[in-house]
């Protein structure tokens, strides 16, 4: 990258200063202290310290990579220096914080925080320990760049698995406790005791961490061979067997999804329900943004229309004594659901017509306004007799499925309902994508004028994108209203549109599995890691920036998008001009 | 008989008159070239024909159908396709998909059919793929259907653009500088290819071209535009010796010297 050899010292100071800045920022934001509550490995490392470790690892390895032309010892030395310099910032912060009361400006700058940063030691040994800590992990970061790729990947995977399982410890506990079959099983109990910290402590036990790390990294090491082995074996099979195998894999996956609530317990089932509602919305927005390239920032409007339709049509809290709402037909859930979808679909068309001629930024601004209009309408006095204004609507209907509803918990009921909705929406999205319609969307995304000049009807193409996206959001909204049990205008603010857009971008625009993965990562994980909730939008922003820098195509990109952004992946086109075909072939055209 | 006729077409951009009172008659099954110095209004006229611009005055008809005021997709459906001076393919779609988009005017399947993937829709999709492959073969890009359009070499992109235009089964094909940026060999191939389009596919060709060898070699009629006005029209030999044309291209005085 650098044509000029950069001085190791200067590089180390630069990288160290950035690392230190990041560390100070995260510390003063309170992330280190909040995350310190959570042990990853019991008594060894907490999430808060892990955050600092990650910073020094990253900047240590960047330093080493910048100095890739220098000797190994220089690289390691510079990375260690970078780590130490980074930690020097924190030492400075601790010293400053102990002399001056920083709390009026930085409420998180508490004595407890200094204690955490000093690893519970007292000055001045603690300062040395801190610098050493930075230097060691900076050097380890450099070490990671020295190891060949074959080993680096598995080591990183092993660490990530330890972190992830350590974080999910209490969820696993909840799951076990909520399932009678597990709670009484002695085998499960033994495993639990071996792997996880007991009592009030959390995180993995030391032995558990070692086992998880070894298993994960050994698996990751052998993964490429295992996968290619499996692939060549399936390819050796006759086509019929291959087909059966693929079908049975899908079948197995569906069965797992179907029995999942039994293992998850009510809390996790509820979390998956929220994730699925976001997945539904994101799948719809993916059609508008990912397929047709129309940037819609007011997408939450359709979600709101779906939710309000469900609310108005089904609420039973009508009449003078229940407040403001004076009208409501009190339909059942199943009667109202098609209306919710239909009305949001119609709203999609209505929004589509005026914005047909707009492109890019203009379209984004107008849709943004539309989203706000819908929310403000819901708040308005004019519609108060129907929407309840700021007091919203309560008691929308629950779905009932004959005798089944009695057998299922309410979370379970919504789980299966949402699973069916997601399945249906994925099916429709795939079919549309692979049809003439999907092609027209892509063409419009690429070059609207030329698409029209090729005979693509712009009006119907764009309206269909808006309408199908809106219908999916409407479906999500209707189920959301019923599941949450109350509808307030503030649930439908701009942030929700942005969140869904973030899912589509992080997952991979235009990629259906990407969108599902995106909603799991952006909504499932923060829901599970309660400490994150406070920093959710900070992490969102950081993740988005990091994604755009390192993986602009998204986590699970559509194959085409991958080709677009990494051009060298495709087969090399023949640069020689070809001779035009001979006259004989033309007859059939 | 004229397949395309324009009468007194005027297109202004603010104070600039890009095309003024332009009359043109393109005979059916002819190869007709429009030439002129840069900025003479040739591409502007193409944009008026294809519905990108709406002329301020005059009328344009295709087989007697009035084109002025119709949207580009309607005009394409009436039987006019075009290529662009600076290639405008759908870069991030494959070559095959580019052509399939061009076939859109002839497809009937709707959204419901697409969701349920009825037998009719599947058959139609199959047919579009076969037709697209046939067109790829025809323009000499057989086997490159799965490459992204932007990864094709320049000459192939030009040919893919023509294949995409042909997919609409046009009666009239507008080619905007089809040999721009090509070497002598490629230009010769393209010239022969354009003639085949007319002779074998029986498509009328209206062409903007700067390369005089191409223009003089294949055109039956040449129309010369300068500052938006028609200054000459006729068979190539006649145009070559027309003093006004020489003046427009080489400047005042050149014509006198040439004589």
């Amino acid at each position: 990258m650098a044509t000029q050899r950069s001085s190791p010292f200067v590089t180390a100071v630069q990288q160290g200063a950035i690392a230190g800045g990041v560390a100070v920022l995260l510390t003063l934001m309170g992330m280190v202290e909040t995350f310190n509550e959570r042990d990853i490995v019991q008594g060894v490392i907490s999430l808060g310290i892990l955050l600092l470790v990650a910073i020094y690892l990253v900047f240590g390895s960047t330093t080493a990579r910048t100095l890739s032309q220098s000797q190994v010892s220089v690289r390691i030395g510079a990375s260690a220096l970078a780590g130490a310099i980074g930690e020097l910032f924190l030492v400075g912060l601790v010293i400053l914080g102990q002399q001056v009361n920083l709390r009026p400006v930085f409420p998180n700058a508490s004595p407890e925080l200094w204690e955490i940063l000093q690893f519970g030691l007292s000055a001045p040994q603690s300062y040395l320990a801190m610098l050493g800590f930075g230097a060691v992990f900076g050097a380890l970061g450099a070490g990671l760049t020295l190891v060949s790729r074959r080993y680096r990947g598995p080591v990183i995977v092993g660490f990530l698995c330890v972190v992830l399982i350590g974080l999910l410890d209490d969820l696993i506990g909840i799951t076990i406790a909520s399932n009678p079959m597990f709670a009484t099983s002695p085998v499960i109990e033994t495993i639990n005791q071996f792997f996880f910290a007991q009592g009030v402590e959390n995180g993995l036990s030391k032995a558990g961490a070692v086992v998880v790390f070894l298993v994960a990294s050994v698996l990751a090491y052998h993964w490429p061979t295992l996968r290619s082995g499996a692939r060549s074996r399936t390819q050796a099979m006759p086509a019929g067997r291959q087909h059966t195998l693929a079908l049975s894999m899908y079948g197995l996956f569906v069965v797992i999804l179907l029995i999942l609530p039994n293992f998850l317990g009510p809390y996790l089932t509820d979390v998956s329900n929220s994730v699925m509602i976001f997945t539904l919305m994101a799948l719809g927005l993916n059609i508008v943004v990912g397929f047709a390239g129309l940037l819609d920032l007011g997408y939450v409007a359709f979600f709101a229309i779906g939710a309000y339709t469900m609310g108005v049509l089904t609420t039973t809290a009508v009449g003078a004594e229940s407040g403001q709402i004076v009208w409501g037909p009190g339909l059942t859930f199943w009667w109202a659901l098609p209306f919710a979808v239909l009305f949001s679909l119609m709203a999609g068309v209505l929004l589509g017509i005026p914005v047909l001629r707009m492109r890019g930024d203009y379209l984004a601004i107008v849709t943004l306004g539309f989203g706000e209009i819908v929310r403000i309408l819901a708040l308005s006095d004019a519609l108060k007799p129907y929407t309840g204004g700021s007091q919203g609507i309560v008691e929308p209907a629950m779905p009932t499925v004959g005798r089944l509803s009695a057998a299922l918990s309410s979370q379970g009921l919504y789980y299966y309902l949402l699973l069916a909705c997601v399945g249906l929406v994925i099916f429709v999205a795939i079919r549309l994508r692979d049809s003439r319609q999907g092609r027209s969307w892509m063409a419009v995304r690429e070059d609207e004028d030329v698409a029209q000049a090729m005979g693509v009807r712009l009006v119907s193409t764009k309206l269909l994108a808006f309408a199908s996206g809106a219908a999916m959001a409407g479906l999500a909204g209707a189920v959301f209203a019923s599941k949450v049990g109350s509808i307030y205008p503030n649930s439908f603010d701009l942030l929700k549109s942005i969140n869904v857009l973030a899912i589509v971008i992080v997952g991979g625009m235009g990629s259906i599995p990407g969108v599902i993965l995106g909603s799991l990562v952006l909504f499932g994980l923060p829901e599970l890691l309660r400490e994150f909730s406070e920093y959710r939008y900070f992490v969102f922003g950081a993740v988005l920036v990091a994604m755009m820098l390192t993986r602009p195509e998204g986590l699970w990109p559509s194959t085409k998008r991958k080709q677009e952004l990494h051009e060298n992946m495709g087969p090399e086109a023949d640069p020689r001009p070809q001779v035009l075909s001979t006259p004989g072939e033309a007859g059939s055209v | 008989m004229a397949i395309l006729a324009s009468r007194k077409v005027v297109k202004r951009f603010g104070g600039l008159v890009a095309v003024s009172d332009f009359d043109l008659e393109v005979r059916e099954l002819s190869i007709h070239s429009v030439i002129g110095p840069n900025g003479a209004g040739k591409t502007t006229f193409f944009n008026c024909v294809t519905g990108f611009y709406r002329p301020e005055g005059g009328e344009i008809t295709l087989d007697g159908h009035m084109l002025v005021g119709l949207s580009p997709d309607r005009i394409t459906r009436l039987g006019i396709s075009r290529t662009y001076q600076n290639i405008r393919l759908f870069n991030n779609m494959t070559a095959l998909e580019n052509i399939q988009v061009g076939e859109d005017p002839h497809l009937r399947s709707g959204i419901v059919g697409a969701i349920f993937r009825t037998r009719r829709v599947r058959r139609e999709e199959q047919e579009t793929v076969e037709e697209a492959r046939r067109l790829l073969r025809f323009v000499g890009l057989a086997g490159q259907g799965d490459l992204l359009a932007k990864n094709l070499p320049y000459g192939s992109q030009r040919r893919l653009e023509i294949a995409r235009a042909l997919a609409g089964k046009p009666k009239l094909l507008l080619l905007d500088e089809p040999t721009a940026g090509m070497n002598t060999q490629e230009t010769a191939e393209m010239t022969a290819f354009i003639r085949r389009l007319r002779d074998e596919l029986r498509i009328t060709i209206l062409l903007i071209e700067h390369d005089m060898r191409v223009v003089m070699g294949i055109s039956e009629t040449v129309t010369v535009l300068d500052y938006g006005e028609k200054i000459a029209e006729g068979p190539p030999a006649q145009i070559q010796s027309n003093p006004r044309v020489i003046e427009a291209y080489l400047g005042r005085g050149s014509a006198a010297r040439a004589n």
Side-chain angles (χ1 to χ4, degrees):
Chain A
M1 190 166 65
T3 46
Q4 213 177 332
R5 259 175 76 154
S6 20
S7 143
F9 183 71
V10 173
T11 311
V13 172
Q14 277 175 352
Q15 297 291 333
I18 303 174
V22 174
V24 169
L25 173 74
L26 297 187
T27 309
L28 287 180
M29 279 172 63
M31 281 177 96
V32 173
E33 195 181 350
T34 318
F35 289 4
N36 200 50
E37 305 287 306
R38 184 88 80 117
D39 271 358
I40 299 294
V41 181
Q42 180 195 7
V44 177
I45 192 166
S46 75
L47 186 58
I49 298 300
L50 189 72
L51 201 62
L52 297 177
V53 168
I55 295 172
Y56 301 130
L57 282 177
V58 167
F59 284 95
S61 64
T62 333
T63 311
R65 249 179 288 146
T66 316
L67 299 171
S68 57
Q69 319 220 322
S70 313
Q71 285 171 330
V72 170
S73 55
V74 175
R75 273 188 262 173
I76 294 184
S79 302
L81 182 62
I85 290 174
E87 192 69 15
L88 191 63
F89 277 65
L90 288 185
V91 172
L93 182 68
V94 170
I95 295 175
L96 181 71
Q98 282 165 346
Q99 307 300 324
V100 188
N101 182 13
L102 293 176
R103 297 194 82 160
V105 189
F106 301 107
N108 294 308
S110 62
E112 291 79 35
L113 178 62
W114 311 140
E115 207 168 296
I116 294 165
L117 290 179
Q118 290 175 291
F119 308 110
L121 302 169
S122 59
Q125 301 96 303
S126 65
Y127 301 143
L128 275 179
M130 286 169 77
L131 293 179
F133 166 76
V136 165
F137 285 104
L140 273 180
L144 275 180
T145 63
L146 298 175
V147 186
S148 88
R149 216 199 187 115
R150 188 88 180 84
Y151 297 100
R152 185 174 24 175
V155 169
I156 293 176
V157 169
F159 273 119
L160 286 180
C161 281
V162 170
V163 172
L164 198 66
I165 295 180
L167 282 177
L168 296 182
D169 157 45
D170 53 348
L171 285 173
I172 296 170
I174 294 174
T175 312
I176 291 172
S178 66
N179 194 315
M181 195 174 77
F182 290 159
T184 53
S185 153
V187 183
I188 299 273
E189 181 60 26
T190 324
I191 294 177
N192 188 16
Q193 271 180 4
F194 175 75
F195 276 104
F196 295 110
Q198 300 301 311
V200 288
E201 300 277 320
N202 50 28
L204 284 161
S205 67
K206 281 171 203 147
V210 171
V211 171
V212 167
F213 176 77
L214 286 179
V215 170
S217 45
V218 166
L219 268 182
Y221 180 78
H222 290 292
W223 178 246
T225 17
L226 286 176
R227 195 174 55 174
S228 64
R231 190 170 289 167
S232 57
R233 248 172 292 140
T234 43
Q235 267 162 7
M237 286 180 197
R241 285 270 309 278
Q242 272 187 42
H243 191 68
T244 328
L245 189 72
L247 269 186
S248 48
M249 290 303 263
Y250 278 122
L252 186 68
F253 184 64
V254 170
V255 168
I256 289 177
L257 282 179
L258 285 177
I259 59 174
L260 206 55
N262 294 325
F263 297 96
L264 288 182
Y267 173 65
L268 282 185
T269 310
D270 200 49
V271 170
S272 4
N273 290 346
S274 308
V275 171
M276 282 197 281
I277 285 177
F278 273 104
T279 309
L280 275 180
M281 283 176 81
L283 283 167
L285 188 63
N286 186 43
I287 290 182
V288 185
V289 179
F291 293 171
L294 305 163
L295 184 52
D296 185 349
L297 288 183
Y299 189 62
V300 72
F302 308 120
F303 183 70
I305 289 168
Y308 268 102
T309 309
M310 176 58 72
V312 170
L313 293 183
T314 66
T315 182
T316 47
V318 182
E321 73 276 16
S322 70
Q324 282 71 26
I325 297 178
V326 298
W327 183 84
L331 297 180
T332 65
F333 177 87
W334 297 111
W335 273 106
L337 193 64
F339 283 107
V341 174
L342 184 72
F343 286 160
S344 26
L345 190 146
M346 278 163 30
V349 175
L350 281 181
L351 168 70
I353 291 169
V355 302
L356 272 176
R357 289 171 162 277
M358 294 178 188
R359 299 173 190 200
D361 325 359
Y362 302 102
L363 179 67
I365 295 293
V366 174
T367 50
L368 189 145
F370 178 74
E372 284 299 284
I373 289 173
V374 168
R375 186 177 65 85
I376 290 168
L377 268 182
L379 263 171
S380 73
D381 282 342
L383 291 179
K384 208 169 181 185
Y386 312 102
T387 64
S390 58
Q391 277 143 16
I393 303 175
V394 291
E395 293 176 33
M398 295 247 308
T400 47
V401 201
R403 233 176 271 160
L404 249 176
S405 7
L408 283 170
S409 65
S410 95
Q411 293 90 352
L413 188 63
Y414 285 110
Y415 177 88
Y416 290 114
L417 175 64
L418 279 163
L419 200 61
C421 290
V422 169
L424 177 75
V425 164
I426 290 177
F427 175 79
V428 170
I430 290 180
R431 282 284 166 92
L432 287 178
R433 182 194 65 192
D434 295 343
S435 71
R436 165 196 178 195
Q437 202 56 56
R439 248 186 347 252
S440 305
W441 283 334
M442 258 197 285
V444 168
R445 187 184 76 195
E446 291 289 312
D447 190 331
E448 195 174 312
D449 294 328
V450 177
Q452 197 182 14
M454 288 301 123
V456 172
R457 290 196 176 95
L458 273 192
V459 175
S460 57
T461 304
K462 284 188 174 183
L463 287 187
L464 189 64
F466 274 120
S468 43
M472 291 172 187
L475 179 66
V479 181
F480 168 82
S482 166
K483 170 180 159 325
V484 174
S486 56
I487 303 141
Y488 300 108
N490 289 336
S491 320
F492 310 107
D493 57 357
L494 175 64
L495 212 49
K496 208 154 213 154
S497 301
I498 307 257
N499 285 341
V500 179
L501 189 62
I503 292 180
V504 175
I505 292 172
V506 168
M509 273 205 262
S511 154
I512 290 168
V515 163
I516 298 166
L517 185 66
S519 39
L520 273 174
V521 169
L522 288 189
F523 281 87
L525 279 184
E527 204 67 46
L528 298 181
L529 309 171
R530 279 162 288 103
E531 287 92 342
F532 276 104
S533 59
E534 204 177 321
Y535 302 101
R536 177 183 276 186
Y537 293 107
F538 173 76
V539 174
F540 258 33
V543 166
L544 275 175
V545 171
M547 288 286 302
M548 289 305 110
L549 286 175
T550 59
R551 242 184 117 80
E553 71 272 27
L555 288 176
W556 188 333
S558 61
T559 39
K560 188 160 289 158
R561 186 61 61 139
K562 214 161 29 186
Q563 263 181 306
E564 282 171 37
L565 290 161
H566 299 276
E567 277 167 70
N568 48 355
M569 281 185 44
E572 202 55 45
D574 182 7
R576 283 174 303 126
Q578 280 196 330
V579 181
L580 290 165
S581 66
T582 48
E585 288 176 53
S588 50
V589 179
Chain B
M1 180 214 146
I3 179 167
L4 181 82
S6 83
R7 268 175 292 279
K8 298 215 171 297
V9 168
V10 180
K11 176 69 200 171
R12 292 189 204 93
F13 295 107
L16 177 81
V17 185
V19 176
S20 107
D21 286 344
F22 185 55
D23 292 341
L24 184 73
E25 289 213 344
V26 180
R27 264 182 304 114
E28 193 157 9
L29 292 181
S30 65
I31 298 180
H32 191 134
S33 293
V34 178
I35 64 171
N38 286 326
K42 306 175 299 278
T43 300
T44 305
F45 175 68
F46 266 30
N47 284 337
C48 290
V49 173
T50 49
F52 272 68
Y53 294 155
R54 197 195 165 112
E56 271 83 33
E59 54 183 43
I60 304 173
T61 54
L62 177 78
D63 276 343
H65 287 282
M66 184 68 173
L67 299 184
V68 174
L70 297 185
S71 62
D73 56 295
R74 289 284 305 280
I75 292 174
T76 304
R77 281 160 204 274
L78 286 174
I80 299 183
S81 290
R82 72 172 292 184
T83 65
Y84 298 84
Q85 191 175 350
N86 43 344
I87 303 171
R88 285 175 81 173
L89 288 166
F90 303 121
N91 275 325
N92 295 314
M93 297 171 78
T94 64
L96 202 72
E97 284 169 338
N98 265 278
I99 300 179
Q100 283 179 290
V101 172
E103 290 176 57
D104 199 78
H106 302 285
L107 303 187
R108 292 148 164 273
S109 67
I111 174 165
V112 179
I115 291 173
F116 293 103
R117 200 167 281 177
T118 56
R119 183 174 302 177
R120 209 169 57 98
V121 171
R122 266 177 305 177
R123 200 176 50 220
E124 192 180 84
E125 271 300 290
Q126 193 52 43
E127 283 165 5
T128 65
V129 173
E130 280 161 19
E131 169 76 7
R133 288 201 196 288
R134 207 154 54 208
L135 281 166
L136 276 175
R137 263 201 312 281
F138 180 67
V139 299
L141 292 174
Q144 308 204 16
D146 292 331
L147 290 180
L148 289 187
K150 69 172 178 191
N151 290 343
L152 289 171
Y154 181 81
S156 307
Q157 291 193 355
R158 282 249 173 247
R159 277 176 279 158
L160 177 58
E161 212 186 16
I162 294 179
R164 183 180 67 179
L166 292 177
K169 299 196 174 72
K171 293 184 239 173
L172 172 67
L173 181 61
L174 309 189
L175 300 173
D176 198 342
E177 297 197 29
T179 69
M182 287 186 170
N183 63 28
T184 325
Q185 152 102 36
E186 289 167 327
T187 303
E189 281 170 12
M190 182 55 81
T191 312
F193 179 67
I194 292 171
R195 196 174 278 129
R196 277 181 54 210
L197 292 180
R198 194 264 309 265
D199 296 344
E200 290 172 26
L201 305 185
R202 310 201 44 83
I203 298 172
T204 312
I205 310 273
L206 180 60
L207 177 77
I208 293 177
E209 190 48 72
H210 274 305
D211 189 326
M212 284 306 140
R213 267 167 307 176
V214 176
V215 172
M216 298 307 160
I218 57 171
S219 325
E220 274 116 36
T221 315
V222 179
T223 301
V224 188
L225 264 178
D226 192 21
Y227 292 110
E229 287 181 42
K230 180 155 87 179
I231 59 171
E233 190 167 55
Q238 208 177 319
I239 295 296
Q240 258 169 323
S241 54
N242 186 318
R244 284 197 69 189
V245 176
I246 296 170
E247 187 185 307
Y249 267 92
L250 300 175
R252 192 169 292 278
S254 316
R257 232 171 294 135
N259 288 337

